[in-house]
């Protein structure tokens, strides 16, 4: 498996996405925004995603280890790295997870929250993603989206949304992300696909996938063409060009003018 990767911040702040690849494994993490609220952790989201990503790569060298077991092990190990922090805080640093592993004649995938894995197959494209978060608090999401990005009203509405989301995060009534509780791993969506059925695959944080899913400014076919000709860097550049035409979120309401973006492009 040949992997090309890139990640870039969406603005002046630190990048809260993380991406890595090995000859048999690709991982994309997207750290969840804190909206400036307390997390109970002194380390921050970039620290968390870097440690979680590193632990995932270390937990999955054996192709027979289930991806959910590797994720649970990584979550436990990261929690052990900062026991002095309040890991029971509902806002403890957390992230979406997308993992693709080549195992003999199969591709195993895992998604937890909304960082998709897209397969380019002979008959078209298959998107593996976890959109349970979209069903949570739609009225507060709509409130955020009625304001231009980076305005005081927008920021206040976003804080209200994140505050309420935290109460449903990693609960049966809400949605699941990687945080401090290993139980989240059991709620990830997984599957296996014969390698012969897949021409290429892309793992993307939603800061990159939104070119298709939110903005509608490209098809998956066009995305994979870009990835083949210009790689992940060019795909992220295309996202930034689109966002620059709508800096205040009038056309495409969103939480940030530009979100952090990460891409792993896998070929055989």
């Amino acid at each position: 498996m040949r992997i090309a990767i890139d990640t870039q911040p969406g603005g002046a702040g630190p990048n809260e996405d993380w991406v890595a690849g090995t000859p048999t494994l690709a991982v994309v993490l997207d750290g969840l925004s804190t909206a400036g609220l307390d997390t109970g952790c002194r380390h921050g989201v970039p620290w968390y995603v870097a440690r979680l990503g590193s632990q995932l790569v270390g937990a999955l060298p054996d192709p027979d280890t289930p991806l959910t077991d590797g994720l649970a092990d990584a979550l436990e190990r990261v929690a052990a790295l900062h026991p002095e922090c309040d890991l029971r805080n509902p806002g403890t640093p957390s992230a979406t997870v997308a993992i693709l592993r080549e195992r003999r004649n199969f591709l195993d995938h895992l998604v937890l929250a909304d960082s998709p894995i897209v397969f380019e197959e002979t008959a078209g494209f298959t998107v593996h993603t976890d959109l349970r978060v979209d069903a949570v608090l739609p009225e507060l999401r709509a409130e955020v989206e009625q304001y231009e990005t980076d305005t005081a009203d927008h920021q206040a509405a976003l804080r209200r949304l994140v505050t309420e989301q935290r109460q449903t995060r990693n609960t049966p009534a809400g949605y699941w992300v990687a945080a401090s509780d290993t139980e989240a791993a059991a709620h990830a969506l997984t599957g296996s696909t014969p390698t012969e059925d897949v021409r290429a695959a892309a793992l993307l944080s939603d800061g990159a996938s939104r070119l298709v899913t939110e903005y509608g400014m490209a098809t998956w076919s066009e995305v994979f063409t870009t990835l083949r000709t210009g790689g992940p860097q060019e795909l992220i550049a295309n996202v930034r060009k689109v966002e620059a035409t709508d800096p205040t979120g009038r056309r495409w309401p969103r939480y940030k003018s530009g979100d952090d973006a990460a891409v792993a492009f896998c070929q055989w």
Side-chain angles (χ1 to χ4, degrees), residues 16-17 35 46 67 70 83 85 107 113 118 174 181 202 223 239 242 246 255 259:
E16 296 178 341
D17 283 5
L67 297 183
C85 297
L107 295 173
V118 185
D181 189 349
V223 164
V239 176
V242 168
D246 180 43
Y255 298 158
D259 196 6

Side-chain angles (χ1 to χ4, degrees), residues 13-146:
N15 190 350
E16 296 178 341
D17 283 5
W18 192 90
V19 59
T22 77
T24 59
L25 185 72
V27 178
V28 164
L29 306 177
D30 182 354
L32 271 64
S33 173
T34 66
L37 299 170
D38 176 64
T39 66
C41 176
R42 65 181 179 85
H43 297 95
V45 175
W47 179 94
Y48 176 77
V49 295
R51 270 64 183 179
L52 179 60
S54 298
Q55 293 293 339
L56 280 169
V57 172
L60 292 168
D62 183 349
D64 293 321
T65 299
L67 297 183
T68 51
D69 289 358
L71 176 56
D73 181 65
L75 292 173
E76 184 175 23
R77 289 177 181 272
V78 174
L81 294 175
H82 58 147
E84 74 280 9
C85 297
D86 180 9
L87 302 182
R88 293 175 297 179
N89 186 308
T92 192
S94 56
T96 72
V97 181
I99 304 172
L100 182 67
R101 182 182 60 190
E102 187 174 25
R103 175 179 53 86
R104 292 181 280 276
N105 296 319
F106 288 89
L107 295 173
D108 301 329
H109 73 265
L110 177 152
V111 290
L112 187 63
D114 57 356
S115 290
I117 299 175
V118 185
F119 286 168
E120 181 188 35
E121 301 172 325
T122 303
F125 296 88
T126 300
V127 180
H128 301 283
T129 190
D130 172 9
L131 299 178
R132 283 173 284 189
V133 67
D134 288 353
V136 176
L137 304 169
E139 69 286 352
L140 289 181
R141 291 167 59 90
E143 181 184 356
V144 176
E145 293 174 353
Q146 71 178 311

